Amino acid sequence: MKAAVVVFPSINRERDMARTLRLVSGQEPTMVWHADTSLPAGTDLVVIPGGFSYGDYLRCGAIAARAPIMDAVRSHAGRGGLVLGVCNGFQILCEAGLLPGVLMRNAALKFICRDVYLRVEHSDTPVTPGYNAGQGIRV
């Protein structure tokens, strides 16, 4: 699988993501700068890692969602290409209109770190083949 990792100013997890993708796939992912306007030919997976794009001074991911590379990411997703947003990357995808809904501040206005339990709905997706439909997982 050919992966591309999008790099934004102030994101701090792009190298960790690239290392993980290399370990999992055996292939070196391409690092794509936020000001680029296209993805490498043959890209299967676009990953937007966590960190704090542009320092998150406005709204988490709001500035990054308008970066030039995001048009190519939207086109990739529109063709059925895989896109993964992790942490702040998820927020960028929401702000870019690639995921429905909006994110809201939590009631305490503080970072919350706790286990979350998810249920696998389908085991035939690119990221769930090791699970069974209906299985609960801890994240």
Side-chain angles (χ1 to χ4, degrees):
M1 179 175 290
K2 186 172 182 180
V5 177
V6 180
V7 180
F8 292 96
S10 300
I11 275 194
N12 59 14
R13 295 323 260 168
E14 73 276 7
R15 300 290 168 201
D16 294 333
M17 183 58 68
R19 180 176 186 274
T20 300
L21 290 167
R22 186 173 47 256
L23 291 171
V24 169
S25 72
Q27 296 182 30
E28 189 69 33
T30 303
M31 306 304 277
V32 179
W33 186 237
H34 69 104
D36 291 345
T37 57
S38 63
L39 296 168
T43 296
D44 300 304
L45 168 67
V46 176
V47 180
I48 302 179
F52 299 94
S53 64
Y54 297 93
D56 286 342
Y57 297 116
L58 174 62
R59 217 174 41 244
C60 297
I63 297 171
R66 284 135 186 91
I69 194 62
M70 293 308 294
D71 286 334
V73 174
R74 279 188 279 278
S75 294
H76 174 76
R79 292 188 304 274
L82 301 173
V83 179
L84 173 65
V86 178
C87 190
N88 186 251
F90 176 83
Q91 295 166 315
I92 293 168
L93 294 178
C94 288
E95 288 285 344
L98 286 164
L99 295 172
V102 296
L103 299 172
M104 300 179 350
R105 295 179 188 263
N106 63 39
L109 297 178
K110 296 189 187 304
F111 177 74
I112 299 171
C113 180
R114 66 174 176 237
D115 291 342
V116 176
Y117 295 87
L118 304 175
R119 189 176 102 153
V120 176
E121 293 295 326
H122 304 280
S123 60
D124 59 351
T125 72
V127 296
T128 58
Y131 299 102
N132 297 315
Q135 180 179 352
I137 59 173
R138 185 181 73 175
V139 178

